[in-house]
Amino acid sequence: MLNGNGRLYGPQNALDLGSSSCWNCEGASESKVDPWIQLEFHRHVILSELQVQFQAGFSSELCDVLVRDSQDENWEMLENDVEFEDVHELQTHRLAEERKISGVRLVWTAPKDLYGRIALYRLSAWGVNA
């Protein structure tokens, strides 16, 4: 989170459609772990579509989509190298495979910012209860 300010830039703000807050990561660290955000549904859903809105210049051109079907299991790659544009508009990605899951993790593997920072103003996951 940018400067440790979780109130304005924490993960809950990526889902906050009524404000100008966002989810923000600080960028590359010594551990070289790609930035990621995950959604836990606390029930099984069939996920069909993801929508993201970045701040232009603080986006990622590529994203890995990992899923799991219970809290006890490891994450499994659903889609590798999903492409997004470096724009501020809302972008939609329709998943190639709809599967029953309980959580989804988006790993941003190609940040556009020189320091690897990501600013996500909106994140939506669409599907149905399983």
Side-chain angles (χ1 to χ4, degrees):
M1 291 180 293
L2 185 63
N3 299 325
N5 191 339
R7 197 176 120 243
L8 293 177
Y9 304 110
Q12 72 279 5
N13 295 320
L15 304 174
D16 181 6
L17 303 179
S19 77
S20 61
S21 59
C22 69
W23 171 77
N24 183 293
C25 73
E26 292 180 345
S29 66
E30 292 180 16
S31 65
K32 304 295 183 208
V33 174
D34 290 323
W36 55 270
I37 190 167
Q38 75 186 42
L39 300 174
E40 294 291 341
F41 301 112
H42 303 289
R43 64 183 177 282
H44 284 105
V45 300
I46 298 175
L47 186 64
S48 59
E49 183 177 285
L50 297 168
Q51 293 181 333
V52 298
Q53 182 181 14
F54 295 106
Q55 176 179 334
F58 295 93
S59 65
S60 179
E61 291 183 322
L62 298 174
C63 174
D64 290 343
V65 180
L66 291 86
V67 296
R68 65 179 173 191
D69 62 13
S70 76
Q71 291 186 1
D72 297 330
E73 295 187 29
N74 293 326
W75 293 96
E76 179 184 344
M77 183 72 68
L78 181 65
E79 293 190 19
N80 186 287
D81 292 338
V82 174
E83 295 183 13
F84 289 102
E85 295 181 44
D86 184 25
V87 296
H88 187 69
E89 287 79 27
L90 185 65
Q91 301 176 63
T92 300
H93 174 71
R94 189 113 176 106
L95 296 169
E97 176 186 348
E98 295 182 8
R99 186 187 307 177
K100 185 170 91 170
I101 63 167
S102 64
V104 61
R105 179 181 288 182
L106 306 177
V107 181
W108 310 109
T109 58
K112 290 296 291 178
D113 176 62
L114 180 63
Y115 300 103
R117 296 171 293 190
I118 304 286
L120 188 61
Y121 281 91
R122 183 172 175 181
L123 171 61
S124 300
W126 293 93
V128 296
N129 287 323

